[in-house]
Amino acid sequence: PVNNWTTWMDFSTDFWGYTQALFRSTSLMLNVGYGYHPPVTTTDTWLAIVSMLFGGFVNACLLGCVCGYFSLSKDGSMQVYNQMTDMVTEWMRNKQIDPLLANRAKSYFLHHYPRHKAFRDEEVMSMLSAALQADVKSELYMNFLWEEVDALKGAKEPVLRSLCLYVEECYHVPGDIVMAKGDIAQRMYIITSGELALYNAHGKWLTC
């Protein structure tokens, strides 16, 4: 076009032309006005470009922080997670627990709640009727018991439904002793992910 800014501006070099193109596109993209007197020299133009980009970055960070704060304030599960982690951290600091053990506790929360959303399953289930509890647990665990546990693949649905009532999820971090020699077995474990190592009384690795 005849009245385009690229035709009436004096582009003595290609670098100056690209600089002006970048300056104007940046100002339009970030909606930053340059007033009646835009930068004239190459140095001033690049300083203006860097300033606009930095200002846009800071503005985006501030807006993201504000939005994140309001979203967290409305997310009850994240509030529960933060309360639980803060309580455990303060308790271990007050009791002067070994730092290595405290780090294992942090790893447990990160593994148990990878999305930083915590739910108290017992409290939620206690709010439901007995029939609803049975239906919810069947929905959560019946397919798993039938498909993943070889000993239960031939079991009928009423049997699996009854077993689902006693299923509880548990999480362990590396270094946890799930059961030691001489312990009284109070539950049966079904490994869904990870590995479980077996050691003898002398600490020798046997299998996993």
Side-chain angles (χ1 to χ4, degrees), residues 1-201:
V2 178
N3 295 326
N4 192 277
W5 66 274
T6 59
T7 60
W8 56 263
M9 289 199 67
D10 181 20
F11 290 158
S12 56
T13 62
D14 291 339
F15 180 76
W16 172 246
Y18 286 121
T19 299
Q20 282 295 315
L22 179 61
F23 169 74
R24 291 174 180 271
S25 61
T26 304
S27 63
L28 291 175
M29 179 180 64
L30 298 177
N31 198 22
V32 178
Y34 45 83
Y36 293 103
H37 303 286
V40 178
T41 65
T42 304
T43 303
D44 292 341
T45 305
W46 276 102
L47 286 176
I49 293 173
V50 172
S51 299
M52 287 189 292
L53 292 176
F54 180 76
F57 173 76
V58 173
N59 184 48
C61 290
L62 291 176
L63 183 61
C65 291
V66 172
C67 294
Y69 173 78
F70 282 106
S71 63
L72 288 177
S73 63
K74 294 182 179 180
D75 195 330
S77 59
M78 283 192 176
Q79 289 183 356
V80 173
Y81 174 84
N82 292 330
Q83 292 174 0
M84 293 170 62
T85 53
D86 291 342
M87 182 183 300
V88 171
T89 301
E90 291 297 330
W91 183 85
M92 289 195 169
R93 185 182 296 115
N94 184 57
K95 296 295 184 180
Q96 298 181 351
I97 302 297
D98 182 74
L100 294 177
L101 186 57
N103 288 333
R104 285 180 57 195
K106 293 180 181 179
S107 299
Y108 169 79
F109 277 96
L110 292 175
H111 179 72
H112 193 177
Y113 310 107
R115 299 181 61 186
H116 293 186
K117 290 177 175 286
F119 301 94
R120 295 187 175 97
D121 296 344
E122 297 80 6
E123 293 184 9
V124 175
M125 294 298 292
S126 64
M127 299 177 187
L128 305 177
S129 63
L132 278 175
Q133 291 183 25
D135 291 338
V136 170
K137 287 210 165 187
S138 297
E139 176 73 18
L140 292 174
Y141 306 121
M142 183 175 293
N143 288 336
F144 168 76
L145 294 177
W146 185 74
E147 294 176 359
E148 301 296 334
V149 183
D150 294 338
L152 299 176
K153 285 187 175 181
K156 296 182 179 180
E157 183 175 342
V159 176
L160 293 176
R161 185 178 175 87
S162 300
L163 290 176
C164 288
L165 296 175
Y166 301 96
V167 175
E168 295 181 0
E169 297 182 16
C170 62
Y171 299 84
H172 293 279
V173 296
D176 282 357
I177 299 177
V178 179
M179 183 175 293
K181 183 179 179 180
D183 290 348
I184 299 176
Q186 297 179 344
R187 57 182 59 90
M188 180 181 71
Y189 291 94
I190 301 173
I191 303 174
T192 59
S193 63
E195 294 182 349
L196 184 66
L198 181 63
Y199 295 86
N200 62 14

